[in-house]
Amino acid sequence: MSQYFINSMSRSHFKNGATPQLVHMCNVETKHTMWPRVLHMHEDIMEIVFIKEGSGFHLIGEKQYSVCEGDILIYNSNVLHDEYTNQDQNMSVYCCGISNLHIEGLPANHLVSQNQSYVLSSGEKREEIENLLQIMFSQVQKGEDGYEETCHYLLCALISIILQISQENASLPREEESVLFNQIKSYIDKYYREELTLASIAKDLSISSYYLAHLFKKETGFSPIQYIMRRRIGEAQSLLINTNYNVTMIAGIVGYDNPNYFTTLFSKIVGMSPKKYRQLWSISP
């Protein structure tokens, strides 16, 4: 028998003792990850995604990541991210949305700093992390008396374990950061709802269209026009999930005057119509 004593004076990761709150919990199987959740961000929450199986590519912030089974994806609040799977790999994931997260030395609802990788390998902690997420989802799904409190403490445990994973090899090299690329991306993120073309962006930023397209594709995996479309469709997905606006209104908000063209483009990128997407994701777990 082994007996260990706990150090009651251990320092908490959570600033001023304020603990995070679980906002939502999803167990997303392969039939759902086939339909991408494209470019979007969350202003008041952050998300943790754990890949149970499969592989894919994710754009998080300014960097494209190749991700695989056992990886943990960190979506800090106000950080754009785009999820697109490898269709041959049958990706399935756990995802939890979190609010009131205050980690010492980081902004609210941030789990890693912007100078670190947003993708971590769970390594030897994979079983612990997956078990915690499985129990959390089971608790939310059943909704039995006291499940909120149970999930609250499980979430604290989950975050503490993730923070134990070494980030020594996960820092982003400074040479990968491009001042010009950040300028281009900031411009597009600000004006993506407007009538933008490659030529108009290049003119406003005083660079050649060819170099702009080459640099942007290199950094994100998308051409500027593809990025704009995914940015618009991602915003539309958020509006479909979180508001009661009709499809015509949402099309106008994200920059499309023609709702029929918007529906066609949405269906092509997401794999289903806006109406069907709303019906699919508006059902509470």
Side-chain angles (χ1 to χ4, degrees):
M1 182 184 77
S2 299
Q3 178 173 319
Y4 299 91
F5 292 93
I6 308 302
N7 180 7
S8 60
M9 298 302 290
S10 294
R11 180 180 62 85
S12 173
H13 290 295
F14 304 116
K15 186 176 180 180
N16 299 325
T19 52
Q21 300 294 319
L22 184 65
V23 176
H24 64 251
M25 183 81 203
C26 301
N27 179 14
V28 187
E29 298 297 347
T30 55
K31 64 179 181 180
H32 287 163
T33 55
M34 291 173 61
W35 302 309
R37 180 73 168 94
V38 298
L39 274 167
H40 64 289
M41 69 170 68
H42 310 284
E43 294 183 1
D44 301 319
I45 67 170
M46 63 86 55
E47 288 183 327
I48 294 172
V49 174
F50 175 82
I51 301 178
K52 295 187 289 180
E53 60 177 328
S55 63
F57 299 93
H58 286 64
L59 177 67
I60 312 177
E62 286 82 35
K63 185 174 175 60
Q64 181 180 225
Y65 295 88
S66 175
V67 300
C68 62
E69 185 176 317
D71 281 346
I72 304 160
L73 284 58
I74 309 298
Y75 300 153
N76 288 339
S77 64
N78 292 306
V79 172
L80 277 168
H81 48 281
D82 190 305
E83 306 156 9
Y84 45 112
T85 64
N86 182 337
Q87 296 294 330
D88 298 325
Q89 293 297 314
N90 298 318
M91 181 182 285
S92 62
V93 307
Y94 282 118
C95 174
C96 52
I98 302 161
S99 67
N100 197 44
L101 178 64
H102 300 278
I103 302 296
E104 291 286 353
L106 294 176
N109 296 316
H110 281 52
L111 189 55
V112 296
S113 76
Q114 62 181 3
N115 295 322
Q116 294 176 307
S117 174
Y118 290 121
V119 175
L120 306 174
S121 173
S122 59
E124 63 182 14
K125 298 186 184 297
R126 173 175 178 170
E127 185 175 357
E128 297 173 19
I129 290 170
E130 190 165 5
N131 286 343
L132 282 171
L133 288 164
Q134 183 178 26
I135 296 170
M136 287 168 64
F137 180 76
S138 176
Q139 286 285 312
V140 172
Q141 188 178 45
K142 293 176 181 177
E144 296 175 343
D145 186 43
Y147 83 93
E148 300 96 338
E149 184 176 16
T150 301
C151 287
H152 174 75
Y153 290 114
L154 290 171
L155 176 62
C156 292
L158 173 68
I159 291 172
S160 294
I161 290 173
I162 291 175
L163 289 171
Q164 291 172 0
I165 298 174
S166 174
Q167 285 245 2
E168 290 180 1
N169 298 318
S171 295
L172 298 177
R174 294 295 297 178
E175 58 267 25
E176 288 188 8
E177 298 181 1
S178 166
V179 174
L180 179 57
F181 166 71
N182 289 337
Q183 184 181 7
I184 297 168
K185 184 173 178 296
S186 295
Y187 180 93
I188 294 175
D189 286 336
K190 182 176 181 180
Y191 297 111
Y192 72 92
R193 294 182 179 90
E194 300 182 11
E195 291 292 331
L196 294 180
T197 64
L198 185 62
S200 68
I201 299 169
K203 180 180 179 181
D204 285 352
L205 296 178
S206 301
I207 56 176
S208 77
S209 298
Y210 174 81
Y211 183 63
L212 186 156
H214 175 76
L215 176 61
F216 202 88
K217 176 81 171 181
K218 176 185 175 183
E219 295 291 337
T220 67
F222 297 116
S223 71
I225 302 306
Q226 287 175 322
Y227 181 88
I228 291 168
M229 288 191 298
R230 296 182 77 87
R231 186 75 174 87
R232 289 177 171 185
I233 297 302
E235 179 65 17
Q237 287 177 300
S238 296
L239 292 169
L240 286 165
I241 295 172
N242 299 312
T243 75
N244 293 319
Y245 298 157
N246 62 39
V247 172
T248 299
M249 183 179 293
I250 289 174
I253 291 173
V254 301
Y256 294 109
D257 295 331
N258 187 332
N260 291 330
Y261 176 74
F262 164 74
T263 297
T264 300
L265 184 62
F266 187 100
S267 300
K268 181 179 179 180
I269 292 177
V270 178
M272 66 179 70
S273 69
K275 182 179 179 180
K276 186 174 180 181
Y277 183 84
R278 169 173 273 167
Q279 292 171 342
L280 178 69
W281 290 105
S282 294
I283 300 173
S284 299

